């Protein structure tokens, strides 16, 4: 079990790094090719889904960290495969879709932070802050489809997942 938790933790750190890099690229290069973005997004979604499932299969001490990860992991893998297969058709929806994913993940983590508070974990406030921040940025991305805001939402999401 401990090995699975360590593997899931390493995976989440890797995903955080990918979010950071993607966020910085979105901010610095706002005119990035949509097809290239779809390919990278699809691969990251599949990787993130696999990591979420590994996290779910490992049991953390309070069963908080990975409680929603099975369904989210399967969803992310399927979505990643769809984006890879027909990403060109999603050109106009990639940013709002990213915003929706960030919003959903933020909302689930708000619930996790509330549960963490009930268990007396001091990190609940940090989890709550970054969950609200990334969720709010997710809404802004849905409404505006602004690539720069998407970059900042990826940075907030990366911080929240590590």
């Amino acid at each position: 079990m401990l090995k699975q938790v360590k593997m899931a933790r390493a995976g989440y750190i890797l995903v955080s790094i990918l979010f950071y890099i993607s966020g910085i690229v979105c901010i610095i290069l706002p005119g990035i090719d949509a097809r290239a973005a779809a390919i990278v997004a699809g691969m990251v979604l599949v990787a993130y889904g696999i990591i979420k499932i590994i996290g779910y299969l490992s049991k953390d001490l309070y069963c908080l960290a990975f409680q929603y990860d099975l369904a989210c992991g399967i969803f992310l893998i399927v979505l990643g495969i769809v984006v890879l297969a027909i990403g060109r058709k999603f050109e106009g929806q990639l940013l709002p879709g990213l915003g929706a994913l960030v919003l959903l993940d933020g909302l689930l983590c708000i619930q996790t932070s509330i549960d963490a508070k009930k268990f007396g974990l001091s990190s609940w406030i940090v989890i709550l802050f970054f969950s609200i921040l990334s969720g709010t940025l997710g809404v802004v991305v849905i409404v505006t489809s602004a690539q720069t805001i998407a970059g900042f939402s990826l940075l907030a999401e990366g911080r929240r997942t590590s």
Side-chain angles (χ1 to χ4, degrees):
M1 294 278 189
L2 187 59
K3 183 178 178 182
Q4 285 178 314
V5 172
K6 286 183 178 182
M7 194 163 80
R9 181 175 167 85
Y12 274 99
I13 291 169
L14 174 64
V15 168
S16 291
I17 291 168
L18 292 174
F19 280 152
Y20 290 146
I21 292 168
S22 300
I24 290 168
V25 168
C26 284
I27 293 167
I28 293 174
L29 303 170
I32 194 163
D33 177 59
R35 180 65 186 148
I39 291 169
V40 171
M43 291 188 308
V44 170
L45 288 169
V46 170
Y48 194 21
I50 291 168
I51 290 165
K52 280 193 168 283
I53 291 172
I54 291 169
Y56 177 79
L57 295 174
S58 64
K59 298 297 177 196
D60 65 297
L61 182 61
Y62 297 106
C63 295
L64 284 175
F66 310 118
Q67 63 184 331
Y68 306 110
D69 285 5
L70 179 63
C72 287
I74 293 168
F75 175 74
L76 289 169
I77 291 169
V78 170
L79 185 61
I81 291 169
V82 168
V83 169
L84 284 169
I86 56 174
R88 194 83 172 137
K89 294 181 181 181
F90 286 115
E91 279 185 30
Q93 289 88 23
L94 277 178
L95 289 176
L98 170 68
L101 285 172
V102 170
L103 171 61
L104 175 62
D105 201 37
L107 293 173
L108 291 173
C109 287
I110 288 171
Q111 185 172 346
T112 299
S113 73
I114 293 167
D115 293 341
K117 182 180 179 185
K118 290 177 188 174
F119 280 106
L121 300 176
S122 60
S123 61
W124 75 270
I125 193 75
V126 175
I127 298 168
L128 179 63
F129 173 78
F130 281 102
S131 298
I132 291 171
L133 177 62
S134 61
T136 301
L137 288 170
V139 170
V140 174
V141 171
I142 293 168
V143 172
T144 66
S145 291
Q147 191 167 343
T148 304
I149 302 296
F152 286 110
S153 73
L154 286 168
L155 291 174
E157 185 74 4
R159 171 57 188 109
R160 201 201 43 69
T161 58
S162 60

